[in-house]
Amino acid sequence: MAGDETLFTEAGLRRQITFEGLDYDEFVRCMTDQRTAPIVRASLAEGESRGVTGTPWVFVNNQQVDPTFEAIEAAVEAALEAGQ
Amino acid sequence: MPPSAFGISPRGRGGRGEWRDTLASMRLLTGALLLLACLAAACGSGDEAVRDTATATSERAERPATITQQQQTQPRQTTVQDTTAQEVDQPAEPQSEPQADQLPADDVGVHKGLRSERHVLGEPDAPVEIRYFGDFT
């Protein structure tokens, strides 16, 4: 990201979107019509209220765990034992 | 000049000359007719060749137009015939990937005014909730 400062220009986006095999005009329509903006803003607000400061960020039964398979597995096992 | 001086009477010589002239004329006429017949045959076969080429060209020109018309009139109804024609004449379009809202979900509803999806793996009553925040969720 830091190496390509032109990525978030219109030309850079067009180049990248086309490279990914997507329709650039449809991409711009989705980006500008704001249809999903409320969902994104709500998710952002929920993350901020939970103290999320970065991604990926994982909670298991409202307890933050490292976003690794081993940590999540251990948290799930612990939750299952606590529930029995 | 006496008639017997050359052994040929002027009339007889003249008659033989006319016969030879007539024979030569007939040969020329026959040759000309044969030449015309050959030319006519050659031109006839050439017309057919041109007509065949024109027919083939027009068929090739009409076929993509027909497919285009089918796509315009039936943009979302792909039939087996259309698919076959596209495979022959046009590269197949990449299949669209399933949309996010088409992913299998066990429970899709609204939670706090927002769309909520709950995917259950394994025991449905397991008291474990995993909440994930990512860049693209």
Side-chain angles (χ1 to χ4, degrees):
Chain A
M1 288 290 186
D4 186 3
E5 296 179 354
T6 67
L7 178 60
F8 292 106
T9 63
E10 182 178 354
L13 275 178
R14 179 182 290 274
R15 183 179 66 245
Q16 188 65 25
I17 295 303
T18 304
F19 175 78
E20 298 291 344
L22 302 175
D23 186 329
Y24 180 73
D25 292 333
E26 186 177 356
F27 174 83
V28 171
R29 276 196 301 274
C30 291
M31 186 175 64
T32 57
D33 71 357
Q34 301 292 312
R35 186 167 52 88
T36 57
I39 298 175
V40 175
R41 279 195 289 268
S43 179
L44 180 65
E46 182 184 0
E48 288 174 345
S49 69
R50 289 173 173 266
V52 175
T53 58
T55 58
W57 198 282
V58 177
F59 293 96
V60 175
N61 281 358
N62 297 320
Q63 297 293 319
Q64 184 208 346
V65 299
D66 289 337
T68 62
F69 177 81
E70 292 77 12
I72 295 171
E73 182 184 35
V76 169
E77 294 293 342
L80 288 174
E81 288 182 6
Q84 288 177 351
Chain B
M1 184 179 294
S4 59
F6 298 99
I8 302 173
S9 68
R11 182 179 179 87
R13 200 178 101 190
R16 277 187 170 178
E18 287 178 0
W19 173 249
R20 286 179 180 170
D21 290 344
T22 302
L23 191 59
S25 297
M26 288 181 68
R27 285 178 178 167
L28 281 175
L29 184 61
T30 304
L33 286 174
L34 284 173
L35 184 62
L36 285 175
C38 289
L39 286 173
C43 289
S45 61
D47 286 345
E48 288 178 0
V50 170
R51 191 162 50 244
D52 289 345
T53 303
T55 303
T57 303
S58 64
E59 286 177 355
R60 280 195 295 269
E62 287 172 1
R63 193 169 183 184
T66 304
I67 293 173
T68 304
Q69 288 170 356
Q70 289 175 354
Q71 290 175 341
Q72 288 176 349
T73 55
Q74 299 176 347
R76 295 187 182 277
Q77 296 177 359
T78 303
T79 63
V80 175
Q81 291 177 344
D82 289 343
T83 305
T84 305
Q86 289 176 0
E87 287 176 353
V88 171
D89 291 342
Q90 297 177 351
E93 295 181 0
Q95 293 183 346
S96 60
E97 295 180 359
Q99 300 297 318
D101 56 0
Q102 294 175 345
L103 292 174
D106 297 288
D107 183 18
V108 179
V110 177
H111 177 66
K112 294 182 180 178
L114 302 175
R115 194 184 70 166
S116 171
E117 297 185 17
R118 178 174 176 245
H119 300 273
V120 177
L121 302 176
E123 175 59 46
D125 296 326
V128 178
E129 178 201 53
I130 300 176
R131 189 171 293 266
Y132 169 81
F133 290 86
D135 293 332
F136 303 99
T137 57

